[in-house]
Amino acid sequence: MDSPRDASSGAAVVQLVLPYPPSANTYWRPSKGRGLVPSSEATAYKAAVARVAALARVQPLAGPVRMVVTIYRPRRTGDLDNTLKVLNDALNGCAWLDDEQLVELVAVRSDDAKAPRVELRATAERYATREEAEAHRRARAERARKAQKTRNRNRVAKVRAQMQLKSAFHQPARRDGP
């Protein structure tokens, strides 16, 4: 099946209707020794977005991306920008290679308590090739490995520094001899 293209300009197009995202306030959780990590709610949302994109046979966009999005929230609370951050992160690797490609964004917030959702249309000059998508995945994995290695090295250095500090302040008890 061919991916859709904008008939007027020949641009590559991604159109999706996605579930309403969790709040950015609940997206991250602290993890001892690892800083902030995605919450279980964030992981579930990313998986749901990936499923919708896979079922729609979406190919990631390459180059500068322009997106128009309408967010239908379940109630009259919540910031539009908090929703966008979560949405953009979830679309990495699905609608585009990385959300740093986003150069133009038109966002509209509306209310629909009965059917909260996100409707989006993203366009770019072309779709990413399989090789580009795979290279991007490998580069991202390599950056994650390097970051983990750095965190581990810093953790070891911190423990060593604490041990040296303790030994510097620890003085053996003096015993008065006979």
Side-chain angles (χ1 to χ4, degrees), residues 22-23 25-31 34 36-48 51 86:
S23 166
N25 298 331
T26 61
Y27 195 76
W28 300 102
R29 68 173 176 79
S31 175
R34 291 188 348 174
L36 294 175
V37 297
S39 66
S40 57
E41 193 177 4
T43 304
Y45 186 72
K46 284 183 177 185
R51 271 191 308 277
V86 172

Side-chain angles (χ1 to χ4, degrees), residues 127-148:
Y127 294 102
T129 64
R130 288 179 196 237
E131 293 80 18
E132 287 173 314
E134 186 54 39
H136 186 79
R137 275 191 282 278
R138 281 194 308 271
R140 179 176 259 181
E142 181 60 25
R143 284 192 305 271
R145 276 192 295 277
K146 284 182 179 180
Q148 181 65 44

Side-chain angles (χ1 to χ4, degrees), residues 106-122:
V106 176
V108 177
R109 185 186 71 203
S110 192
D111 298 321
D112 188 346
K114 293 183 181 178
R117 65 195 178 282
V118 173
E119 295 178 359
L120 73 90
R121 177 182 170 85

Side-chain angles (χ1 to χ4, degrees), residues 1-7 10-16 56-59 61 121-127:
M1 178 176 154
D2 288 335
S3 298
R5 291 197 170 270
D6 188 326
V13 178
V14 169
Q15 283 188 255
L16 291 169
R57 296 184 179 190
V58 168
Q59 289 179 258
L61 299 170
R121 177 182 170 85
T123 59
E125 290 180 10
R126 65 182 183 85
Y127 294 102

